[in-house]
Structures are given as structure tokens and as C-alpha cells.
Short mmCIF file of all heavy atoms in Angstrom, two decimals:
data_model
loop_
_atom_site.label_atom_id
_atom_site.label_comp_id
_atom_site.label_asym_id
_atom_site.label_seq_id
_atom_site.Cartn_x
_atom_site.Cartn_y
_atom_site.Cartn_z
N ASN A 1 18.27 -28.25 0.27
CA ASN A 1 18.57 -29.68 0.06
C ASN A 1 18.16 -30.10 -1.25
O ASN A 1 16.90 -30.26 -1.65
CB ASN A 1 17.94 -30.47 1.19
CG ASN A 1 18.36 -31.96 1.26
OD1 ASN A 1 19.27 -32.31 0.51
ND2 ASN A 1 17.78 -32.81 2.03
N LYS A 2 19.21 -30.42 -2.09
CA LYS A 2 18.89 -30.97 -3.37
C LYS A 2 18.43 -32.52 -3.28
O LYS A 2 19.38 -33.35 -2.79
CB LYS A 2 20.13 -30.67 -4.26
CG LYS A 2 20.40 -29.21 -4.48
CD LYS A 2 21.37 -28.99 -5.58
CE LYS A 2 22.69 -29.45 -5.25
NZ LYS A 2 23.55 -28.79 -4.20
N LEU A 3 17.32 -32.89 -3.69
CA LEU A 3 16.83 -34.23 -3.31
C LEU A 3 16.94 -35.13 -4.55
O LEU A 3 16.91 -34.63 -5.66
CB LEU A 3 15.46 -34.07 -2.84
CG LEU A 3 15.15 -33.09 -1.64
CD1 LEU A 3 13.68 -32.90 -1.59
CD2 LEU A 3 15.60 -33.78 -0.45
N GLY A 4 16.94 -36.39 -4.17
CA GLY A 4 17.00 -37.43 -5.27
C GLY A 4 17.98 -38.59 -5.02
O GLY A 4 17.93 -39.58 -5.69
N TRP A 5 18.79 -38.43 -3.94
CA TRP A 5 19.79 -39.51 -3.55
C TRP A 5 19.31 -39.87 -2.25
O TRP A 5 19.25 -39.01 -1.24
CB TRP A 5 21.20 -39.01 -3.71
CG TRP A 5 21.66 -38.77 -5.05
CD1 TRP A 5 21.50 -37.69 -5.88
CD2 TRP A 5 22.28 -39.68 -5.89
NE1 TRP A 5 21.93 -37.98 -7.07
CE2 TRP A 5 22.43 -39.22 -7.13
CE3 TRP A 5 22.63 -41.07 -5.67
CZ2 TRP A 5 23.10 -39.75 -8.24
CZ3 TRP A 5 23.32 -41.68 -6.78
CH2 TRP A 5 23.56 -41.10 -8.00
N TYR A 6 19.15 -41.17 -2.10
CA TYR A 6 18.68 -41.90 -0.84
C TYR A 6 19.84 -42.69 -0.18
O TYR A 6 20.32 -43.52 -0.85
CB TYR A 6 17.50 -42.64 -0.99
CG TYR A 6 16.73 -43.07 0.27
CD1 TYR A 6 15.74 -42.22 0.89
CD2 TYR A 6 17.05 -44.41 0.76
CE1 TYR A 6 15.05 -42.69 1.97
CE2 TYR A 6 16.34 -44.81 1.87
CZ TYR A 6 15.34 -43.99 2.49
OH TYR A 6 14.71 -44.32 3.65
N ARG A 7 20.14 -42.47 1.14
CA ARG A 7 21.17 -43.26 1.73
C ARG A 7 20.71 -44.60 1.92
O ARG A 7 19.62 -45.07 2.27
CB ARG A 7 21.47 -42.58 3.13
CG ARG A 7 22.29 -43.45 3.93
CD ARG A 7 22.63 -43.10 5.27
NE ARG A 7 23.69 -41.90 5.37
CZ ARG A 7 24.21 -41.38 6.61
NH1 ARG A 7 23.71 -41.86 7.72
NH2 ARG A 7 25.17 -40.46 6.38
N ILE A 8 21.71 -45.46 1.64
CA ILE A 8 21.46 -47.04 1.90
C ILE A 8 22.76 -47.55 2.48
O ILE A 8 23.75 -46.99 2.44
CB ILE A 8 21.23 -47.73 0.54
CG1 ILE A 8 22.25 -47.78 -0.36
CG2 ILE A 8 19.81 -47.30 -0.05
CD1 ILE A 8 22.08 -48.56 -1.60
N PRO A 9 22.77 -48.80 3.11
CA PRO A 9 23.91 -49.29 3.64
C PRO A 9 24.99 -49.62 2.61
O PRO A 9 24.65 -49.90 1.47
CB PRO A 9 23.40 -50.67 4.33
CG PRO A 9 21.91 -50.48 4.59
CD PRO A 9 21.49 -49.56 3.43
N LEU A 10 26.23 -49.55 3.02
CA LEU A 10 27.30 -49.78 2.21
C LEU A 10 27.74 -51.05 2.31
O LEU A 10 28.10 -51.58 3.43
CB LEU A 10 28.49 -48.84 2.33
CG LEU A 10 29.79 -48.97 1.58
CD1 LEU A 10 29.53 -48.61 0.12
CD2 LEU A 10 30.97 -48.04 2.04
N ALA A 11 27.78 -52.02 1.27
CA ALA A 11 28.27 -53.36 1.45
C ALA A 11 29.66 -53.44 1.97
O ALA A 11 30.59 -52.59 1.64
CB ALA A 11 28.18 -54.13 0.05
N LYS A 12 29.97 -54.27 2.91
CA LYS A 12 31.22 -54.48 3.51
C LYS A 12 32.34 -54.67 2.46
O LYS A 12 32.23 -55.43 1.63
CB LYS A 12 31.22 -55.70 4.47
CG LYS A 12 32.56 -55.77 5.26
CD LYS A 12 32.44 -56.99 6.31
CE LYS A 12 33.57 -56.85 7.13
NZ LYS A 12 33.56 -58.11 8.15
N GLY A 13 33.28 -53.89 2.56
CA GLY A 13 34.55 -53.88 1.69
C GLY A 13 34.26 -53.23 0.37
O GLY A 13 35.22 -53.41 -0.50
N GLU A 14 33.11 -52.67 0.09
CA GLU A 14 32.85 -52.16 -1.16
C GLU A 14 33.04 -50.54 -1.12
O GLU A 14 32.94 -49.90 -0.07
CB GLU A 14 31.34 -52.47 -1.54
CG GLU A 14 31.14 -53.91 -1.78
CD GLU A 14 31.84 -54.43 -2.88
OE1 GLU A 14 32.04 -53.72 -3.95
OE2 GLU A 14 32.40 -55.71 -3.04
N GLN A 15 33.16 -50.10 -2.41
CA GLN A 15 33.09 -48.66 -2.63
C GLN A 15 31.76 -48.12 -2.84
O GLN A 15 30.89 -48.95 -3.38
CB GLN A 15 34.07 -48.31 -3.73
CG GLN A 15 35.71 -48.47 -3.50
CD GLN A 15 36.14 -47.38 -2.57
OE1 GLN A 15 35.73 -46.23 -2.67
NE2 GLN A 15 37.05 -47.78 -1.82
N PRO A 16 31.42 -46.91 -2.60
CA PRO A 16 30.12 -46.35 -2.98
C PRO A 16 29.93 -46.51 -4.48
O PRO A 16 30.82 -46.45 -5.27
CB PRO A 16 30.28 -44.85 -2.59
CG PRO A 16 31.29 -44.76 -1.56
CD PRO A 16 32.41 -45.93 -1.88
N SER A 17 28.67 -46.85 -4.86
CA SER A 17 28.34 -47.05 -6.32
C SER A 17 28.29 -45.85 -7.16
O SER A 17 28.13 -45.94 -8.46
CB SER A 17 27.04 -47.82 -6.34
OG SER A 17 25.94 -47.10 -5.74
N PHE A 18 28.33 -44.64 -6.58
CA PHE A 18 28.17 -43.33 -7.31
C PHE A 18 29.57 -42.65 -7.27
O PHE A 18 30.15 -42.59 -6.13
CB PHE A 18 27.01 -42.56 -6.78
CG PHE A 18 27.17 -41.95 -5.41
CD1 PHE A 18 27.62 -40.70 -5.11
CD2 PHE A 18 27.13 -42.82 -4.29
CE1 PHE A 18 27.86 -40.23 -3.96
CE2 PHE A 18 27.23 -42.40 -2.97
CZ PHE A 18 27.58 -41.11 -2.73
N GLU A 19 29.88 -41.83 -8.24
CA GLU A 19 31.07 -41.11 -8.37
C GLU A 19 32.28 -41.67 -7.66
O GLU A 19 32.70 -41.17 -6.62
CB GLU A 19 30.79 -39.68 -7.88
CG GLU A 19 29.80 -38.91 -8.70
CD GLU A 19 29.35 -37.56 -8.04
OE1 GLU A 19 29.67 -37.26 -6.96
OE2 GLU A 19 28.96 -36.78 -9.02
N LYS A 20 32.66 -42.87 -8.05
CA LYS A 20 33.86 -43.62 -7.37
C LYS A 20 35.05 -42.81 -7.32
O LYS A 20 35.39 -42.12 -8.32
CB LYS A 20 33.91 -44.95 -8.07
CG LYS A 20 32.77 -45.92 -7.94
CD LYS A 20 32.99 -47.10 -8.61
CE LYS A 20 31.82 -48.16 -8.45
NZ LYS A 20 31.94 -49.40 -8.91
N ASP A 21 35.78 -42.88 -6.28
CA ASP A 21 37.11 -42.29 -6.03
C ASP A 21 37.02 -40.77 -5.81
O ASP A 21 37.97 -40.06 -5.78
CB ASP A 21 38.06 -42.44 -7.29
CG ASP A 21 38.32 -44.03 -7.50
OD1 ASP A 21 38.52 -44.70 -6.48
OD2 ASP A 21 38.42 -44.41 -8.55
N VAL A 22 35.69 -40.19 -5.71
CA VAL A 22 35.57 -38.84 -5.38
C VAL A 22 35.20 -38.59 -4.03
O VAL A 22 35.80 -37.59 -3.35
CB VAL A 22 34.38 -38.26 -6.33
CG1 VAL A 22 33.98 -36.86 -5.92
CG2 VAL A 22 34.75 -38.36 -7.74
N TRP A 23 34.49 -39.39 -3.45
CA TRP A 23 34.01 -39.28 -1.96
C TRP A 23 34.89 -40.22 -1.13
O TRP A 23 34.97 -41.40 -1.48
CB TRP A 23 32.50 -39.57 -1.72
CG TRP A 23 31.72 -38.72 -2.67
CD1 TRP A 23 31.14 -39.21 -3.85
CD2 TRP A 23 31.32 -37.35 -2.50
NE1 TRP A 23 30.51 -38.13 -4.35
CE2 TRP A 23 30.45 -37.09 -3.65
CE3 TRP A 23 31.55 -36.45 -1.49
CZ2 TRP A 23 29.95 -35.73 -3.63
CZ3 TRP A 23 30.99 -35.13 -1.49
CH2 TRP A 23 30.07 -34.86 -2.69
N LYS A 24 35.56 -39.65 -0.13
CA LYS A 24 36.67 -40.44 0.58
C LYS A 24 36.12 -40.79 1.97
O LYS A 24 35.37 -40.14 2.75
CB LYS A 24 37.87 -39.55 0.80
CG LYS A 24 38.45 -39.05 -0.52
CD LYS A 24 38.84 -40.19 -1.50
CE LYS A 24 39.45 -39.65 -2.78
NZ LYS A 24 39.86 -40.74 -3.63
N ASP A 25 36.25 -42.11 2.31
CA ASP A 25 36.21 -42.61 3.74
C ASP A 25 34.72 -42.33 4.13
O ASP A 25 34.37 -41.83 5.16
CB ASP A 25 37.04 -41.97 4.73
CG ASP A 25 37.07 -42.69 6.05
OD1 ASP A 25 36.70 -43.78 6.07
OD2 ASP A 25 37.35 -41.98 7.08
#
């Protein structure tokens, strides 16, 4: 497990803030 990224809630209607358009749904 490569550590350093922590899961947080995704704001409604928003895209993830990291590597946009790379991770789908």
C-alpha cells in the first residue's frame, strides 16, 4: 500500500480534486 493519500468526502456535483478526468465514476 503506497501511502500518502487520504480519502475524504466528495462534494456533491464535484469532480475529484486530483488527476481530473483520469478516475471515472
Side-chain angles (χ1 to χ4, degrees):
N1 190 5
K2 302 194 292 287
L3 304 165
W5 290 86
Y6 190 87
R7 172 187 276 190
I8 62 171
L10 179 65
K12 186 175 181 180
E14 293 295 323
Q15 289 287 323
S17 59
F18 67 102
E19 293 180 341
K20 294 181 180 179
D21 300 322
V22 172
W23 305 97
K24 305 299 182 181
D25 192 27

